[in-house]
Amino acid sequence: MSDPNEIAECNAQFLAAWIHFSRCLPGHRIEQTDGVSAILSGTGMALLNIATLSSPAGNRTDLERRARIGAELARTGGVPWFFALSDSWAPGGDADASAELLAGLGFQPAVSIMGMVAEALPTPRREIAGLELRRVGDAETRAAVADLNSTAYSLPLPIGRAALAHEALWDDRAFGRVGYVGDQPVCCAATFMVEGIRYVGFVATAAEHRRKGYAEAVMRCCLDDALSATGAQRTVLHATDLGRPVYEAMGYHAVTRFAFYTPPPDYLPPPQA
């Protein structure tokens, strides 16, 4: 069973990281009310536009109420979005019952990510040759991060660039690296300082270069950059199913799952008072 402190940490980092990413973008809108957070980046990258809970749901009625409020808040943003729910914040921790309730409201399951934590990572399993790791700090490397992630998530490149290549995202709390083989960018990752914790995001590897250890190499470099600059040891991330085995091998352990749902096609009115 997961540590309650780590569950709280993964949920807090989820909210804080998404707020951090969105606040850096000029079209963002963030609203927190009645136990709901609507965090909208203002871009077409749906994963960066979410409505979610700001605290655990008390019961099924409470979850339904907040899902309706989230839909009301998010739909006015004019961007694609997801409703996100941590299993640990579902009523009674019952993810299946919550999914059934949300399905009845018109929400459909899309993807899920796993909150994972680590304190100190063990030494690398292997040395990686032929990979040049460049610090994200100019238009070329910012675009490389955006393009690698866009390809990984099957997004049009302009949408990814609008979300991830914006200069304001890469401030002094951001430690990003792009891995090159020759002149070709093949992998990337970033570590952001979020409430004093090294938060890892935007990890992507070109399909033809996977299973070579590149993701671990570029992640470790970003984490080391952040450690050298801040001294912070603790690290949190939210993993896709594809990335999770890599992170587990690095020393992260799973804490709690976050399910993302596509919203209903029709407007959901808020609950009656």
Side-chain angles (χ1 to χ4, degrees), residues 122-175:
T123 57
R125 295 169 294 167
R126 53 177 164 165
E127 295 295 326
I128 304 299
L131 185 67
E132 178 191 359
L133 297 172
R134 302 180 192 174
R135 181 75 182 264
V136 175
D138 57 19
E140 177 190 331
T141 48
R142 294 195 301 269
V145 172
D147 293 353
L148 285 162
N149 276 271
S150 296
T151 301
Y153 290 102
S154 301
L155 287 173
L157 297 189
I159 288 178
R161 289 193 178 193
L164 304 185
H166 198 284
E167 186 175 5
L169 182 62
W170 302 97
D171 60 13
D172 58 3
R173 291 180 295 172
F175 303 87

Side-chain angles (χ1 to χ4, degrees), residues 233-256:
Q233 288 279 354
R234 190 77 169 170
T235 170
V236 172
L237 55 79
H238 292 85
T240 64
D241 290 343
L242 181 64
R244 182 175 170 179
V246 175
Y247 310 139
E248 288 177 334
M250 290 177 65
Y252 288 87
H253 65 268
V255 176
T256 186

Side-chain angles (χ1 to χ4, degrees), residues 51-70:
T52 189
L53 307 189
S54 344
S55 60
N59 51 44
R60 288 171 60 89
T61 301
D62 185 37
L63 175 58
E64 178 176 346
R65 178 187 67 84
R66 291 205 245 174
R68 290 180 181 276
I69 292 171

